[in-house]
Amino acid sequence: MSLRTRLALVIALLAFLPNLVLALTLGILGAGWWLPLFLWLLLLALVSGLVGYFLAQGLLRPLEELTRALAYLSLKEGPVSELRLPRPQEPPPQEIALLRDRFEELLQRLRGLMEAREAFYGALAHDLKTPLLSAIRTLAYLERADGLGKERRVELLQGLKGELARALELLENLLALSRLEARSPARETLNLRALAEDLLLRYQEEAKRRGLALEVEGAGLARGERLLVERALANLLDNALRHARSRVRIRVAEGALAVEDDGPGLPLPLEALALPFRQGSGNRGQAGLGLYTAKRVAEAHGGRLGAEESPLGGACLRLELSPATSF
């Protein structure tokens, strides 16, 4: 049953019932009036129904106008930035005006989200294009350089490997963010110490090349999706390797992982550094995406990404997850 029908019935009953009670009372008190009273009640029912119908029409007219405006928005083609609710033909009641304001706020939020997404993908295209172009130029140079010595060739190949690794890291972070948007993380019990040791083995060669010592201490369990937690920890570890002077350490605790180094520390608050594709004072870079991904992974697991003072003197980023005992 539609809202209009319900409203019309309520108005009709409110108009008809008092007259029905009055008519029945008069019929009981005055014998022989039943036929005129019956005809009178039929007339009252008809009039009450018509009054209810027309009053319901008038009361629901502003709501129907808002419904048509929303249908117009759903059918209109073009960018989200140009979506606007049509102006009402007459001043709506206070409740409908408030509802229109809420829809306008929703549209404004949607426009902001779409603008942020466009900027996000624009920055992504910029950052992904840079290492790929560099790799293509390196390959083109290697193709032409017949007399290239071994030392120079190895140097160029290492640079090519680094550029492709940057592109791969970008894609892995985007894949992790895509998983987080599509569904909630799977839940399994994770041995955080074993996870950290496996990851350190993967970064051992890079750390040796940079002259850094990698350490892990502590133990603990957590509940979460292994691939997402590995991605978040890899981002923190990669960030520490870039800034450390001599040491990087992973501290494992119950439901948490902390990555610390002996570098210069965080140049800005973590909230600013964890913005996607932002580094320092407005320069775009993929480090911001890495910290943003780690932050989103922590939040999706019921935790948070925080910054602490490092005993090593540099930065310390703590990835908090759901402890295994919380399930």
Side-chain angles (χ1 to χ4, degrees):
M1 185 183 296
S2 67
L3 179 61
R4 179 189 291 106
T5 303
R6 293 182 182 183
L7 188 57
L9 284 176
V10 169
I11 295 173
L13 287 174
L14 289 175
F16 178 70
L17 287 178
N19 290 283
L20 175 62
V21 173
L22 179 60
L24 290 177
T25 303
L26 292 175
I28 293 172
L29 295 177
W33 290 12
W34 289 110
L35 182 58
L37 283 175
F38 178 72
L39 296 175
W40 175 249
L41 288 176
L42 286 179
L43 180 61
L44 280 177
L46 178 61
V47 172
S48 299
L50 290 174
V51 169
Y53 175 78
F54 286 110
L55 282 178
Q57 284 281 94
L59 291 172
L60 293 178
R61 188 179 298 115
L63 187 59
E64 290 175 344
E65 184 180 355
L66 179 59
T67 303
R68 288 193 296 270
L70 294 176
Y72 164 78
L73 285 183
S74 66
L75 296 175
K76 183 179 179 181
E77 297 182 357
V80 177
S81 59
E82 296 180 2
L83 292 181
R84 298 288 188 279
L85 278 176
R87 294 181 64 86
Q89 297 178 358
E90 57 185 42
Q94 181 180 357
E95 292 78 7
I96 301 299
L98 183 62
L99 188 58
R100 286 181 62 91
D101 291 341
R102 298 292 84 82
F103 275 116
E104 289 287 3
E105 291 174 4
L106 182 61
L107 283 175
Q108 182 63 33
R109 178 171 173 78
L110 181 60
R111 285 191 288 267
L113 289 174
M114 293 303 295
E115 289 172 2
R117 175 160 291 193
E118 289 175 6
F120 181 89
Y121 284 118
L124 167 65
H126 176 274
D127 274 39
L128 192 56
K129 179 181 178 181
T130 301
L132 292 179
L133 279 177
S134 178
I136 290 172
R137 289 167 182 163
T138 302
L139 288 173
Y141 177 75
L142 288 172
E143 187 179 19
R144 297 190 305 268
D146 296 331
L148 198 65
K150 177 181 178 181
E151 183 177 340
R152 177 58 177 163
R153 186 176 71 254
V154 169
E155 180 184 350
L156 289 173
L157 289 174
Q158 286 179 344
L160 175 61
K161 181 181 177 182
E163 295 294 343
L164 293 177
R166 285 181 56 202
L168 178 61
E169 183 183 355
L170 268 173
L171 293 175
E172 287 179 339
N173 282 319
L174 287 172
L175 180 59
L177 291 173
S178 177
R179 284 199 189 102
L180 291 174
E181 287 189 1
R183 57 174 176 79
S184 299
R187 303 288 183 174
E188 62 176 304
T189 301
L190 302 176
N191 184 333
L192 297 181
R193 173 69 183 237
L195 188 149
E197 289 177 343
D198 289 345
L199 203 59
L200 286 186
L201 287 176
R202 287 162 48 186
Y203 279 88
Q204 198 69 47
E205 182 179 346
E206 176 68 14
K208 183 177 180 181
R209 186 178 68 82
R210 295 172 180 260
L212 302 175
L214 295 181
E215 309 168 14
V216 60
E217 66 177 36
L221 302 177
R223 292 279 293 181
E225 185 168 338
R226 183 180 183 89
L227 287 177
L228 291 176
V229 176
E230 278 186 347
R231 182 70 257 150
L233 182 59
N235 289 342
L236 300 184
L237 190 56
D238 184 73
N239 190 65
L241 288 172
R242 281 200 303 269
H243 298 97
R245 295 188 177 95
S246 62
R247 294 176 63 190
V248 173
R249 180 168 62 192
I250 300 178
R251 286 191 290 111
V252 183
E254 196 66 30
L257 292 156
V259 179
E260 53 191 29
D261 60 69
D262 60 351
L266 298 179
L268 289 172
L270 180 59
E271 292 76 13
L273 293 173
L275 293 175
F277 295 99
R278 295 285 177 180
Q279 282 182 317
S281 56
N283 296 322
R284 291 188 297 190
Q286 66 175 342
L289 182 63
L291 293 180
Y292 174 73
T293 304
K295 178 174 177 287
R296 289 283 291 111
V297 168
E299 292 170 349
H301 286 82
R304 59 183 291 271
L305 177 66
E308 301 177 349
E309 291 187 8
S310 171
L312 301 182
C316 176
L317 298 179
R318 180 180 174 87
L319 184 72
E320 296 180 3
L321 306 166
S322 298
T325 55
S326 65
F327 287 82

